[in-house]
Amino acid sequence: MPIIELALRFRYVKNLWNTIIDYLSQIKGLFMTFNLIDLVDILFVAIMLYIVIRIIRETRAIQLVKGLLFVALLYFLVNFLGMSASSYILRNVFSNILIIVVILFGPEIRNILEQMGKGAARSTLVQLITSGGAALEIAETRSAIDAVCKACTDMSDTMTGALIVFENETMLGDIVSSGTALDAKPTKELIKNVFFPKAPMHDGAMIIRDAKVAAAGCILPISRDNNISSELGTRHRAAIGLSQQSDSVVIVVSEETGHISVAQGGSLKRNISSGELRSILENVLIDEDGTNGSGVIKKFIRRVKK
């Protein structure tokens, strides 16, 4: 009996070894025929998947994707176990997967095509590919800038005090942790609600990171520079203080005058218009012509650091 069992184990090991050798031979054959076109093909598919995931990751469609992945895993499992009836049903499902995807993801597919169209209007397809989704980064940043400018204009008219920080290359993790985490898309209504005089977070600063409101009610370091005008209040001193310690762009709306000011590099530009504010933010936060891929690489590195 032990001899038979030993022989069976030997045969199992031998079959396993032969299977491994076959796989290695297939991989070797694949690399032998691999060329530049294959590399470009893989990169193109990877970038398209990256763009698709970026668009749907914060929608309910991502839950549908998880559901489909679960069904796919189930399909491989029933095939492995030899469950004929289940395999037949799931095989029919996957044979019509293209139709199912179009039905389930109709709005998202339309959104993807619209986003790609907007990117193509600003740059060529080659630039879109080489920039690794830069067009989407720029669109989100412009949307955040637009929301902030509109909110600041309204708050200036009503003389509502506000303190808004656009994080740049210098990470502000300690500042973000001092407030209340939001992780929300910046809109004019959200910003105005945060800085409403009776709102619990209106006295702190709002931090915008990667075109999202990371936190609000945050505490900023106060500048101790004695050369700062005595007529400037705590918000302005806090804006200057943070701009002295980082490359952030800090926007202040005065509660007393309604004037909009911007602190950057330790200096304060006072009483600017909404158009000037937009121009300053775009010059700092968006690469020239919106086609430079280095900004996207820096953002990727920053996300890894988080």
Side-chain angles (χ1 to χ4, degrees):
M1 189 70 177
I3 297 176
I4 297 175
E5 184 179 351
L6 184 63
L8 291 174
R9 288 184 179 181
F10 177 76
R11 180 179 296 178
Y12 172 78
V13 172
K14 183 179 179 181
N15 291 337
L16 179 62
W17 176 253
N18 289 335
T19 302
I20 294 174
I21 293 297
D22 289 340
Y23 275 118
L24 292 176
S25 299
Q26 292 176 14
I27 294 172
K28 181 180 178 182
L30 177 64
F31 278 103
M32 292 292 291
T33 59
F34 192 81
N35 54 40
L36 181 61
I37 296 299
D38 296 323
L39 177 61
V40 173
D41 189 20
I42 293 171
L43 290 175
F44 182 82
V45 171
I47 291 171
M48 290 299 105
L49 287 175
Y50 168 76
I51 293 173
V52 170
I53 292 171
R54 274 192 54 82
I55 292 174
I56 70 171
R57 64 180 179 178
E58 291 171 9
T59 66
R60 288 179 297 174
I62 195 67
Q63 302 302 324
L64 293 175
V65 171
K66 292 177 182 178
L68 287 176
L69 290 176
F70 175 77
V71 173
L73 179 63
L74 190 63
Y75 176 61
F76 284 113
L77 181 62
V78 298
N79 265 340
F80 178 77
L81 296 176
M83 301 167 64
S84 302
S86 301
S87 296
Y88 174 78
I89 295 173
L90 292 175
R91 186 164 53 250
N92 283 323
V93 170
F94 279 98
S95 64
N96 299 296
I97 191 65
L98 185 59
I99 298 174
I100 294 173
V101 167
V102 171
I103 294 173
L104 292 178
F105 300 100
E108 285 73 23
I109 292 173
R110 179 175 178 177
N111 187 27
I112 290 170
L113 293 176
E114 288 176 353
Q115 293 286 356
M116 293 180 67
K118 290 177 183 177
R122 311 181 80 103
S123 60
T124 63
L125 179 61
V126 174
Q127 289 170 331
L128 177 62
I129 294 173
T130 57
S131 65
L136 297 177
E137 296 276 3
I138 293 166
E140 291 174 355
T141 303
R142 288 191 186 279
S143 177
I145 291 173
D146 184 64
V148 168
C149 290
K150 288 179 178 178
C152 286
T153 300
D154 288 355
M155 290 187 292
S156 175
D157 292 339
T158 58
M159 289 194 291
T160 302
L163 188 57
I164 303 171
V165 179
F166 272 93
E167 184 186 67
N168 201 8
E169 297 303 320
T170 304
M171 300 296 293
L172 303 175
D174 54 337
I175 304 294
V176 171
S177 62
S178 69
T180 301
L182 294 181
D183 191 26
K185 180 180 178 180
T187 62
K188 181 180 74 171
E189 293 75 18
L190 172 64
I191 297 169
K192 290 172 64 177
N193 282 337
V194 167
F195 292 109
F196 183 73
K198 294 184 179 180
M201 295 182 287
H202 80 281
D203 279 334
M206 173 183 287
I207 311 297
I208 297 180
R209 165 187 287 173
D210 294 335
K212 282 190 175 182
V213 179
C218 301
I219 302 172
L220 304 188
I222 304 296
S223 176
R224 302 302 178 185
D225 189 348
N226 294 325
N227 296 322
I228 297 176
S229 173
S230 59
E231 67 183 32
L232 295 177
T234 305
R235 282 194 180 91
H236 293 83
R237 287 183 174 273
I240 296 172
L242 182 61
S243 70
Q244 289 172 336
Q245 300 180 17
S246 70
D247 60 351
S248 302
V249 184
V250 190
I251 305 159
V252 185
V253 180
S254 173
E255 193 172 359
E256 288 76 22
T257 64
H259 292 165
I260 301 173
S261 303
V262 172
Q264 185 184 4
S267 62
L268 185 70
K269 190 171 183 180
R270 303 173 61 185
N271 195 16
I272 63 174
S273 66
S274 176
E276 289 176 304
L277 174 61
R278 186 185 300 274
S279 178
I280 291 171
L281 293 175
E282 288 182 348
N283 287 337
V284 175
L285 302 172
I286 299 177
D287 291 332
E288 186 178 358
D289 298 329
T291 57
N292 187 357
S294 62
V296 178
I297 295 173
K298 290 178 182 177
K299 287 182 179 180
F300 175 77
I301 294 173
R302 290 172 64 243
R303 289 194 182 107
V304 172
K305 288 181 180 179
K306 295 174 191 174

